[in-house]
Amino acid sequence: MKKTVLGELEELVLLVVAASTEDVYGVPVREELQRQTGRNFTISAVHTTLYRLEEKGFLLSSVGGATAERGGRSKRLFALTAEGGRVLREIQQMRTRLWQAIPESKFQLLGI
């Protein structure tokens, strides 16, 4: 089976959606990304990433109801798929193996 490679923003967005207790749309994803990373993300970068993850089969989207605060426009809501969960678990396991491969003496040598 071919390994899936995600870019950093793709991984971060997928993690934020996975951590959400309900389906989410772009604005709260962007806010949580900024809160967790301390970095700025444009809403267009977040939307592009959400759609790309949907194309890859890691997210599903549905159209939510129209809201007054959005001028009657609907929100596109995103949810994690089983395949998205699988790829996150795969990435987590790979990162854990890499971290465990670093000898503690390396950190001591660097004074950290």
Side-chain angles (χ1 to χ4, degrees), residues 79-97:
L80 186 70
T81 64
E83 185 65 14
R86 184 199 62 76
V87 77
L88 281 177
R89 178 69 71 196
E90 184 181 289
I91 290 168
Q92 179 190 38
Q93 291 169 348
M94 180 265 308
R95 289 188 188 284
T96 299
R97 285 190 308 272

Side-chain angles (χ1 to χ4, degrees), residues 9-10 13 26 29-30 33-34 39-53:
L9 184 55
E10 287 178 319
V13 167
V29 171
R30 178 179 178 241
L33 280 171
Q34 291 180 165
R39 294 163 42 194
N40 253 342
F41 297 93
T42 65
I43 193 64
S44 61
V46 172
H47 280 139
T48 298
T49 303
L50 286 165
Y51 291 124
R52 189 168 50 247
L53 289 168

Side-chain angles (χ1 to χ4, degrees), residues 43-86:
I43 193 64
S44 61
V46 172
H47 280 139
T48 298
T49 303
L50 286 165
Y51 291 124
R52 189 168 50 247
L53 289 168
E54 183 178 28
E55 287 173 11
K56 291 181 176 186
F58 302 145
L59 296 177
L60 281 177
S61 72
S62 60
V63 178
T67 58
E69 75 259 11
R70 292 178 45 86
R73 295 188 334 256
S74 300
K75 298 175 187 174
R76 180 156 299 275
L77 303 171
F78 291 87
L80 186 70
T81 64
E83 185 65 14
R86 184 199 62 76

